[in-house]
């Protein structure tokens, strides 16, 4: 019995010792792994910091350079609003920006001039057409003096009055568009001078050419309207003479049927 107890104690002691040795070995293995991991991190850190000083400085300067580039681009685009490519950044200067701005001004001035010229030319054309219509009506009336009944005479007279009103409206429209056109001419002259002073000779030459073309075109249409005004004046003179002849050829009492407007000069 005593021998069995001694064997049991020996077996228990051996088991306890085995467990202890196993725990110690496991702890040593964990410590070894931790040491290896720490050494690996140190090696990687040494590799990262062993790069050239120039590369480190470049990496450190990247945020600053990007920020400065963004600010510079914002200032330039906000002040002058001149588009440019990346290859042209190094060539930008105050003179270059002023020259490009002058080109933009001349482009806008030319557009304004073309629109006002088109409006004035169209207004003068419509005015000339209204004048010719009035001339045709008055000639028709002159040819029919003494041949129409009072009702027909009054009907033609109402049409003539309406046409005279339209001629007045067209003339007022011409005066309004001509004022805008003159302003556009002045703007183009100033923009051409600014372009020339900034060194943009091509923009200056193009603007002066557009000025000449616009002035010639407007002058041509003006001549047409002036010719129509001259014919209208001649028609009025003919009308007055014809009315005087007709009045002298009839009895004074028959003049009561003649509209009063034809007996006075406009």
């Amino acid at each position: 019995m005593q021998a069995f107890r001694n064997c049991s104690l020996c077996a228990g002691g051996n088991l306890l010792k085995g467990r202890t040795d196993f725990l110690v070995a496991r702890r040593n293995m964990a410590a070894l792994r931790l040491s290896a991991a720490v050494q690996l991190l140190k090696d990687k850190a040494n590799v990262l910091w062993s790069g050239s000083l120039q590369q480190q400085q470049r990496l450190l300067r990247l945020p600053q350079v990007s920020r400065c580039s963004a600010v510079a681009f914002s200032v330039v685009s906000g002040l002058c609003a001149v588009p440019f490519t990346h290859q042209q950044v190094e060539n930008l200067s105050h003179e270059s920006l002023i020259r490009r701005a002058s080109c933009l001004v001349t482009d806008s001035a030319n557009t304004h001039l073309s629109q006002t010229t088109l409006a004035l030319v169209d207004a003068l054309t419509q005015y000339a057409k209204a004048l010719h219509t009035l001339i045709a009506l008055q000639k028709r009336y002159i040819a029919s003096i003494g041949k129409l009944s009072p009702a027909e005479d009054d009907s033609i007279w109402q049409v003539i009055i309406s046409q005279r009103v339209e001629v007045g409206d067209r003339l007022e429209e011409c005066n309004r568009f001509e004022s805008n056109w003159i302003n556009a001419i002045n703007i183009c002259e100033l923009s051409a001078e600014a372009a020339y002073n900034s060194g943009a000779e091509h923009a200056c030459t193009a603007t002066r050419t557009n000025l000449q073309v616009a002035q010639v075109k407007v002058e041509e249409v003006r001549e047409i309207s002036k010719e129509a005004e001259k014919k209208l004046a001649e028609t009025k003179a003919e009308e007055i003479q014809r009315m005087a002849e007709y009045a002298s050829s009839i009895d004074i009492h028959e003049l009561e049927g003649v509209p009063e407007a034809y007996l006075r000069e406009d």
Side-chain angles (χ1 to χ4, degrees):
M1 188 69 179
Q2 185 67 29
F4 178 77
R5 290 179 178 177
N6 290 335
C7 290
S8 299
L9 290 174
C10 290
N14 292 333
L15 181 60
L16 180 60
K17 182 178 180 180
R19 289 182 178 178
T20 302
D21 293 339
F22 174 75
L23 293 176
V24 171
R26 187 174 182 179
R27 184 180 60 185
N28 293 336
M29 183 62 67
L32 182 61
R33 291 178 178 177
L34 179 61
S35 177
V38 171
Q39 185 62 34
L40 180 60
L41 291 175
K42 288 182 178 181
D43 293 340
K44 289 184 177 181
N46 291 332
V47 171
L48 290 175
W49 287 102
S50 63
S52 63
L53 180 60
Q54 183 179 2
Q55 293 179 350
Q56 296 178 15
Q57 292 178 350
R58 185 179 302 172
L59 290 175
L60 292 175
R61 288 179 57 190
L62 280 177
Q64 182 179 0
V65 172
S66 299
R67 183 169 57 253
C68 293
S69 299
V71 171
F73 178 77
S74 177
V75 170
V76 172
S77 61
L79 289 178
C80 60
V82 177
F84 55 88
T85 61
H86 178 71
Q87 296 177 352
Q88 296 173 334
V89 173
E90 297 179 356
N91 297 328
L92 288 181
S93 62
H94 292 301
E95 291 78 8
S96 177
L97 292 176
I98 292 174
R99 184 164 54 253
R100 296 183 185 185
S102 298
C103 293
L104 292 177
V105 171
T106 54
D107 290 342
S108 299
N110 290 329
T111 301
H112 183 49
L113 177 62
S114 64
Q115 293 298 325
T116 53
T117 301
L118 180 63
L120 180 56
V121 168
D122 183 66
L124 289 171
T125 302
Q126 296 301 322
Y127 173 62
K129 289 181 178 180
L131 286 174
H132 284 292
T133 302
L134 180 58
I135 292 170
L137 289 173
Q138 288 188 336
K139 284 184 175 296
R140 180 180 178 183
Y141 175 77
I142 292 172
S144 62
I145 290 178
K147 302 177 182 180
L148 301 175
S149 65
E152 293 174 340
D153 192 276
D154 184 68
S155 177
I156 294 178
W157 171 242
Q158 294 299 325
V159 175
I160 292 175
I161 291 177
S162 176
Q163 188 62 31
R164 286 181 177 178
V165 171
E166 183 178 355
V167 168
D169 293 340
R170 295 296 184 182
L171 180 59
E172 183 180 355
E173 186 180 34
C174 289
N175 294 332
R176 184 174 68 255
F177 284 126
E178 185 175 8
S179 177
N180 295 331
W181 183 75
I182 292 174
N183 291 333
I185 290 290
N186 295 331
I187 292 174
C188 281
E189 290 178 349
L190 292 175
S191 64
E193 182 179 357
Y196 179 80
N197 293 332
S198 64
E201 290 83 1
H202 179 73
C204 176
T205 303
T207 302
R208 294 192 183 280
T209 302
N210 292 335
L211 278 170
Q212 295 176 357
V213 172
Q215 290 172 343
V216 169
K217 185 63 178 178
V218 170
E219 190 61 28
E220 290 177 355
V221 184
R222 275 179 178 171
E223 289 297 327
I224 296 175
S225 62
K226 287 180 180 179
E227 185 67 23
E229 290 175 347
K230 182 179 178 181
K231 289 182 179 180
L232 178 61
E234 294 175 354
T235 304
K236 286 184 177 181
E238 182 182 356
E239 177 185 352
I240 295 173
Q241 182 180 359
R242 182 70 180 86
M243 290 297 299
E245 294 175 354
Y246 176 71
S248 62
S249 63
I250 61 176
D251 187 74
I252 189 65
H253 298 289
E254 296 181 6
L255 294 177
E256 295 179 357
V258 178
E260 182 181 356
Y262 291 102
L263 299 179
R264 69 172 185 270
E265 296 183 4
D266 293 335

